[in-house]
Amino acid sequence: MTVTIRCADFGNNCPAQFTAPDPDELMQHVELHTKTAHQPMEWTQELAEVAKTHVQQV
Ligand SMILES: [Zn+2]
C-alpha cells in the first residue's frame, strides 16, 4: 500500500508532497515537515485529523 498527501491539501501554500507505505508513517513525515517548514504553525491533533482526511491511497 502506498499513501500520499500534498501539503496544500490541508491549507498551506506549499508544493511539498509526501508518499509513504502507510498512513502512520505518512503523518510522521507531514508532522516533521510542518514543524520545520511552517513555523510557527503547530502540529495539533486537530490538524492531524484534517490532514488524515486528505490522505490518498495510490
Ligand atoms: Zn508544506
Side-chain angles (χ1 to χ4, degrees):
M1 173 167 140
T2 301
V3 290
T4 184
I5 193 169
R6 289 175 303 159
C7 196
D9 286 340
F10 51 96
N12 290 310
N13 180 16
C14 175
Q17 180 165 1
F18 307 94
T19 303
D22 65 72
D24 286 343
E25 189 175 332
L26 186 67
M27 284 301 119
Q28 287 177 18
H29 289 301
V30 172
E31 179 176 357
L32 186 65
H33 168 78
T34 300
K35 286 175 173 172
T36 54
H38 297 296
Q39 292 180 28
M41 185 179 178
E42 289 193 44
W43 185 251
T44 61
Q45 191 60 41
E46 200 172 37
L47 182 57
E49 292 300 321
V50 171
K52 277 180 196 168
T53 69
H54 294 287
V55 172
Q56 306 265 334
Q57 201 172 325
V58 291

